[in-house]
Amino acid sequence: RDLAARKAEAGGGLAAALEAVLALEKQQRLAEDSAGASMCCVAVVEMCHGQKAWGQLTAHVTLLAKRRGQMKQAIGDMVRACLKFLAELSDADREAVIKSLLDICEGKIYVEEERAELVKQLSRIHEKRGDVAQAAEVLQQVAVETLGTMSAEDKIEYILDQVRLFLASDDFERAQIFAKKVQTRNFLPKVRKRQDKGGGEKKQSEGTDGPVAMEEDAPKVPQRLQDLKVQYYELMIRIHTQNDALLEICRCYLAMYDTESIKADPAKFAPLLKSACWFLVLSQSEPMQVSLLEQTSRDSNLDRLDLASSKQLLADFKAELPIRWAPFHAKYQAEIAAASHVFGGEKGAARATVLRQRVTQHNILVISKYYTRVKLGFLAKALDLAEPEAERAVAEMVEKGLTWARIDQAEGIVKFAKQAEINGALNTWSGSIGGLLELMEKTTFLINKEFQNFKIKPASA
């Protein structure tokens, strides 16, 4: 009642009303009444807000926070009361209030989440002014991954905002560092265990109205997490594009494709799957690329009519048959022109050259499986290249460890089979003979055992 009466005095002047409420706050604080002190602090904020006295607000919140023996609940409630109406202020007034509140929140773990929100709003003010670099510099002050009171979804959203600003300011190194703070396992369905009626454990999905066995209802990822997952991989694609990590770009597209909301809509997953296929064939041949090629080619969604060309593209690179460049380019020319995000822009011409190289490398790998020795002229003809270019292509693959080959320039012969060493051949022969003798000994033992079981006399020599 005393607080309501003193707030009513604001009609006679804000200064007098504030002085009265501050006196009451002192009484409550000295009496260690945390609820009463908190109400007084919030009342000061509300009166300044009602009169739009932002200068008085910054001064009094700072004064209240610094008072001797001020309680944590009072400071926290006061900061949260200020956060409610910050959006109503102009940019200049909001910036002044935010800076005052940040000084109050500095070093106080019980208002760490409020401080993170204040820093985010201050960053948006700088971004709105066009100073993206300063916005990124301000936002990186918060190590949001260490905040214990913030939910995983809010942390991911905050980190993605940091990464977005770094990318906007062309700071790709920091963007990559901050992007690693996002734990991708948060995008997976969360499963927990519970005791069943028989006393055993059953795995259950989280986030449902009640415990439901996984066998009956598979856990689903919340829609907000699905949206954050797509946003995360979109940012990662920008980072990997800068680094020309083509296989990582492919994996990002596949991760976006493997999202419940995306897979449910053909209009959304078809472009992602097409992009994944293009970046998959543009990637250099390695165990992970081969595994993804095999896995993606078995995807049932590639059987759709609008994805038939993508399925055929993977089949061409999966088959152990040479690919002639001219027919290949003519067949996929329309698809290449349509994939402007892959073959367009600054890196478009370079990726078109990479596609030609991947076809050449595929052909060399196929030829190396069928031939141990081949004439350089024949190899150049099979690769649709001149002899010097074919020789250079083989040398580059050997240098990268993609195949083994030796080129005899004098004879014009390319050897794809390693010459077996004498010691190695002898060791292989010895191992084979030893295995054969062991098998014969085991067979003889089993035959003699059958003779004894059925009391059969072995034939005399």
Side-chain angles (χ1 to χ4, degrees):
R1 288 194 299 270
D2 291 341
L3 179 58
R6 298 192 186 196
K7 285 176 66 176
E9 295 179 10
L14 179 61
L18 288 174
E19 185 177 352
V21 175
L22 289 175
L24 181 59
E25 183 273 336
K26 182 178 180 180
Q27 295 176 9
Q28 302 298 323
R29 175 165 42 86
L30 294 178
E32 296 185 356
D33 184 359
S34 59
S38 175
M39 291 177 62
C40 292
C41 291
V42 173
V44 171
V45 172
E46 291 175 349
M47 286 191 292
C48 293
H49 172 230
Q51 298 294 323
K52 300 190 183 302
W54 311 126
Q56 292 272 26
L57 175 65
T58 56
H60 281 84
V61 294
T62 303
L63 173 66
L64 288 169
K66 291 182 177 180
R67 281 192 162 184
R68 180 182 176 183
Q70 188 58 271
M71 302 177 184
K72 295 180 180 180
Q73 181 182 345
I75 295 176
D77 290 344
M78 182 172 58
V79 172
R80 283 185 284 273
C82 292
L83 279 170
K84 292 179 181 178
F85 58 80
L86 280 180
E88 304 173 9
L89 280 64
S90 63
D91 289 346
D93 292 334
R94 183 161 68 251
E95 183 176 4
V97 174
I98 287 175
K99 288 181 177 180
S100 298
L101 294 176
L102 286 175
D103 291 338
I104 295 172
C105 296
E106 188 67 30
K108 296 179 176 63
I109 194 171
Y110 52 89
V111 285
E112 57 183 4
E113 191 170 348
E114 288 77 11
R115 178 178 177 271
E117 179 61 27
L118 289 169
V119 171
K120 189 173 184 179
Q121 292 198 28
L122 182 59
S123 173
R124 287 175 178 173
I125 292 174
H126 289 294
E127 185 181 8
K128 187 177 179 181
R129 292 174 181 168
D131 193 354
V132 181
Q134 182 62 27
E137 191 71 24
V138 169
L139 197 59
Q140 73 162 344
Q141 297 175 6
V142 180
V144 71
E145 68 277 4
T146 64
L147 304 186
T149 59
M150 186 177 288
S151 65
E153 291 87 348
D154 292 336
K155 288 181 182 180
I156 294 173
E157 186 177 6
Y158 204 98
I159 294 173
L160 294 183
D161 208 16
Q162 291 174 324
V163 174
R164 178 185 62 81
L165 288 176
F166 285 133
L167 290 176
S169 58
D170 294 331
D171 192 348
F172 291 95
E173 292 183 1
R174 286 188 183 181
Q176 190 165 8
I177 292 172
F178 274 70
K180 291 180 180 178
K181 295 181 180 181
V182 177
Q183 299 179 351
T184 54
R185 67 170 179 266
N186 288 321
F187 299 134
L188 301 176
K190 290 184 173 54
V191 178
R192 59 187 174 87
K193 294 181 179 180
R194 73 173 182 90
Q195 294 289 334
D196 63 2
K197 295 181 179 179
E201 288 187 347
K202 287 186 177 180
K203 290 185 177 180
Q204 305 294 329
S205 62
E206 293 182 354
T208 56
D209 294 335
V212 181
M214 284 185 62
E215 292 79 3
E216 300 175 3
D217 187 11
K220 294 183 179 180
V221 179
Q223 184 60 44
R224 185 186 178 194
L225 264 181
Q226 295 184 44
D227 296 338
L228 290 173
K229 177 183 177 181
V230 173
Q231 184 182 350
Y232 167 73
Y233 283 109
E234 285 176 347
L235 294 174
M236 291 304 299
I237 287 173
R238 294 175 60 184
I239 294 175
H240 293 315
T241 300
Q242 178 67 20
N243 300 330
D244 286 329
L246 300 177
L247 185 58
E248 293 301 322
I249 296 175
C250 168
R251 294 179 64 190
C252 289
Y253 276 113
L254 289 176
M256 293 168 63
Y257 163 70
D258 191 23
T259 305
E260 294 177 11
S261 59
I262 298 294
K263 273 193 170 181
D265 188 355
K268 292 181 179 179
F269 75 68
L272 295 177
L273 201 50
K274 284 184 179 180
S275 301
C277 293
W278 276 117
F279 281 106
L280 187 55
V281 300
L282 285 172
S283 304
Q284 186 169 279
S285 179
E286 59 180 82
M288 182 178 291
Q289 190 265 354
V290 174
S291 175
L292 285 177
L293 183 63
E294 180 70 26
Q295 178 182 349
T296 308
S297 63
R298 295 198 301 264
D299 196 304
S300 59
N301 284 327
L302 286 175
D303 295 330
R304 291 171 50 88
L305 184 61
D306 55 341
L307 294 173
S309 59
S310 298
K311 183 176 182 178
Q312 184 60 44
L313 177 67
L314 298 183
D316 290 343
F317 279 86
K318 184 182 173 183
E320 295 184 353
L321 296 172
I323 301 174
R324 301 306 298 263
W325 171 250
F328 175 85
H329 186 264
K331 181 167 64 172
Y332 295 105
Q333 188 172 6
E335 294 289 332
I336 293 174
S340 57
H341 61 290
V342 180
F343 298 100
E346 299 177 356
K347 299 181 180 290
R351 286 175 181 169
T353 303
V354 169
L355 179 62
R356 178 72 174 93
Q357 292 175 352
R358 296 296 179 256
V359 171
T360 301
Q361 291 175 359
H362 169 80
N363 291 339
I364 292 175
L365 291 174
V366 169
I367 291 173
S368 67
K369 292 180 180 179
Y370 292 103
Y371 295 90
T372 56
R373 292 161 51 95
V374 65
K375 285 283 189 179
L376 186 58
F378 173 80
L379 179 63
K381 184 177 180 181
L383 299 178
D384 293 327
L385 296 173
E387 289 190 14
E389 294 177 349
E391 182 179 347
R392 192 180 307 113
V394 174
E396 288 177 357
M397 291 188 66
V398 172
E399 182 181 358
K400 293 177 181 179
L402 300 177
T403 188
W404 189 95
R406 291 291 183 267
I407 301 176
D408 188 342
Q409 293 181 324
E411 297 292 334
I413 295 176
V414 181
K415 299 178 181 179
F416 290 109
K418 288 184 179 181
Q419 185 176 359
E421 297 181 358
I422 296 177
N423 291 335
L426 288 175
N427 289 335
T428 303
W429 177 84
S430 176
S432 299
I433 293 298
L436 178 61
L437 293 175
E438 183 179 355
L439 183 61
M440 290 179 62
E441 183 179 357
K442 184 177 181 180
T443 304
T444 303
F445 170 77
L446 292 175
I447 291 174
N448 290 331
K449 182 179 179 182
E450 292 297 320
F451 281 165
Q452 293 177 2
N453 291 337
F454 292 96
K455 298 180 181 180
I456 301 175
K457 294 183 178 180
S460 57

